[in-house]
């Protein structure tokens, strides 16, 4: 077929619309259906031949969409409330796009084009795969961020994350002139556990201690694994005497627990160093961490299994 024998463009376009997997609907200025292709009829479970020329076409379509559970029933508990919402937006702008989530799990992107003569062309495409891919990508990004900020073994914030939260809490404490305590805790004789029972047992102790801290410490306290058997605890809005009570309560809870899966009557303890941020000290976050480490060293030198507070002169 040469150029002079080519079919008229309108015929080709109608054939394309008939064969397309993209839904297309056309309503005239009086809101009557002038065209519904097979893909649109399938998407919305419509009878395209029965719809042609039918008045209030937009309302018919919206009722069908509502029946397919493509809207949040919590926001629009009745079809009338849904219609009132859609009527307020219908033909309000020359073009608009919105998404619909159908009850079978599909997501549709609907684009409306208002023509100068009042006709409205609706184009509907299935974007389920695209949305699924975007959700999978967001999940991967969230997992990577979690891995970057979490300790894989204990599930607690890692050292980098904990120090970042220390800087934030430290700044808030300075800004609002509120107390803040930092504790560095270390599981006693963890190396001996690893040497005698194996690293699997050592990992079990680390996980157990992390869970104990979650259960015993308060909402608002910040936990983190600093490395090896060392853990950090931030106690915002807490003076050193109250912080000491919190940590001693945790030590008492641990003293009564046994990890029979490691060995009969197996128990362990921890040592801790505690320091309070004081306005007159003039320390930064690093200086506060140094003093907490110093207090921890003193606790271990004094026989372990205890918590030592750094006391300002």
């Amino acid at each position: 077929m040469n150029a002079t024998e080519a079919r008229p463009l309108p015929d080709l376009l109608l054939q394309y619309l008939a064969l397309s997997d993209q839904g297309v609907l056309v309503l005239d200025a009086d809101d009557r259906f002038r065209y519904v292709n097979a893909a649109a009829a399938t998407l919305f479970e419509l009878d395209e031949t029965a719809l042609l020329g039918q008045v209030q076409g937009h309302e018919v379509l919206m009722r069908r969409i509502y029946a397919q559970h493509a809207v949040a029933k919590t926001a629009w508990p009745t079809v009338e409330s849904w219609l009132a919402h859609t009527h307020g937006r219908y033909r309000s702008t020359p073009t608009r796009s919105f998404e619909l989530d159908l009850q079978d799990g599909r997501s549709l992107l609907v684009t409306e084009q208002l023509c100068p003569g009042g006709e409205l062309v609706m184009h509907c495409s299935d974007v389920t795969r695209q949305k699924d891919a975007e959700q999978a990508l967001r999940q991967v990004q969230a997992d990577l961020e979690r891995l970057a900020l979490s300790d894989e073994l204990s599930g607690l914030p890692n050292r980098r994350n904990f120090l970042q939260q220390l800087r934030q809490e430290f700044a808030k404490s300075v800004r609002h002139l509120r107390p803040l305590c930092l504790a560095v805790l270390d599981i006693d004789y963890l190396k001996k556990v690893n040497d005698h029972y194996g690293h699997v047992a050592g990992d079990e102790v680390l996980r157990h201690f992390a869970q104990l801290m979650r259960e015993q410490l308060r909402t608002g306290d910040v936990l983190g694994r600093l490395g090896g058997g060392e853990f950090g605890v931030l106690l915002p809005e807490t003076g050193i005497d109250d912080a000491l009570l919190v940590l001693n309560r945790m030590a008492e809870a641990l003293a009564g627990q046994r990890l029979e899966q490691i060995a009969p009557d197996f128990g362990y303890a921890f040592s801790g160093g505690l320091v309070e941020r004081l306005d007159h000290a003039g320390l930064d976050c690093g200086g506060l961490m140094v003093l907490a480490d110093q207090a921890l060293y003193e606790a271990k030198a004094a026989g372990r299994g205890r918590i030592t507070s750094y006391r300002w002169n």
Side-chain angles (χ1 to χ4, degrees), residues 9-308:
L9 185 58
D11 292 346
L12 288 174
L13 290 176
L14 284 173
Q15 184 180 43
Y16 164 76
L17 293 174
L19 298 175
S20 175
D21 61 355
Q22 309 288 302
V24 177
L25 308 95
V26 180
L27 296 104
D28 65 18
D30 296 322
D31 204 28
R32 290 190 297 261
F33 278 110
R34 289 189 57 187
Y35 180 82
V36 180
N37 73 349
T42 300
L43 284 174
F44 298 114
E45 300 177 9
L46 300 169
D47 182 347
E48 67 268 35
T49 57
L51 283 176
L52 294 179
Q54 186 176 135
V55 297
Q56 295 183 311
H58 179 260
E59 181 171 329
V60 170
L61 181 60
M62 292 302 104
R63 287 184 180 276
R64 170 55 64 184
I65 290 172
Y66 190 90
Q68 289 176 298
H69 304 288
V71 295
K73 295 300 189 290
T74 53
W76 315 108
T78 65
V79 67
E80 285 73 22
S81 62
W82 164 239
L83 288 173
H85 169 71
T86 58
H87 285 164
R89 299 185 176 210
Y90 183 49
R91 297 178 181 265
S92 59
T93 58
T95 60
R96 74 182 184 109
S97 297
F98 53 93
E99 287 188 3
L100 294 172
D101 295 321
L102 303 184
Q103 62 179 346
D104 59 8
R106 290 176 298 156
S107 296
L108 304 182
L109 175 63
V110 181
T111 301
E112 295 180 348
Q113 176 66 57
L114 187 60
C115 300
E119 298 87 357
L120 185 77
V121 179
M122 301 181 66
H123 179 270
C124 312
S125 56
D126 190 328
V127 293
T128 308
R129 289 186 179 180
Q130 177 184 337
K131 289 194 67 175
D132 288 347
E134 291 171 352
Q135 176 59 34
L137 179 59
R138 285 193 294 269
Q139 185 60 53
V140 169
Q141 291 172 332
D143 290 344
L144 289 174
E145 182 176 352
R146 177 180 55 79
L147 290 173
L149 297 176
S150 299
D151 171 60
E152 184 177 3
L153 179 64
S154 66
L156 295 177
N158 59 17
R159 183 183 186 88
R160 171 189 169 193
N161 189 355
F162 179 80
L163 293 179
Q164 178 180 343
Q165 294 187 70
L166 169 59
R167 289 190 289 271
Q168 293 171 351
E169 292 296 337
F170 190 96
K172 286 196 293 186
S173 174
V174 171
R175 185 166 59 251
H176 300 295
L177 301 178
R178 301 298 299 164
L180 171 69
C181 282
L182 166 67
V184 177
L185 313 179
D186 189 54
I187 297 173
D188 292 332
Y189 304 112
L190 181 62
K191 185 177 184 303
K192 289 185 177 180
V193 174
N194 287 327
D195 292 343
H196 187 74
Y197 298 105
H199 286 277
V200 172
D203 290 348
E204 182 68 23
V205 170
L206 288 167
R207 282 191 289 266
H208 180 269
F209 189 57
Q211 185 59 35
L212 176 85
M213 288 195 296
R214 289 191 190 96
E215 294 172 354
Q216 295 295 324
L217 294 174
R218 308 158 307 170
T219 301
D221 294 337
V222 180
L223 312 177
R225 185 182 176 199
L226 303 179
E230 273 195 1
F231 295 81
V233 181
L234 284 173
L235 301 106
E237 301 287 335
T238 307
I240 197 163
D241 293 329
D242 289 335
L244 193 58
L245 289 174
V246 172
L247 297 179
N248 280 330
R249 186 175 65 241
M250 187 174 73
E252 291 170 5
L254 178 61
Q257 300 196 26
R258 293 293 179 267
L259 276 65
E260 300 290 343
Q261 66 271 34
I262 293 179
D265 203 35
F266 177 89
Y268 67 95
F270 70 90
S271 301
L274 178 65
V275 63
E276 180 180 4
R277 187 202 73 79
L278 295 179
D279 293 328
H280 64 75
L283 287 178
D284 59 10
C285 294
L288 202 67
M289 182 67 79
V290 168
L291 293 183
D293 282 335
Q294 180 180 321
L296 172 63
Y297 176 81
E298 293 174 2
K300 286 184 172 293
R304 303 178 188 252
R306 66 193 65 203
I307 300 162
T308 299

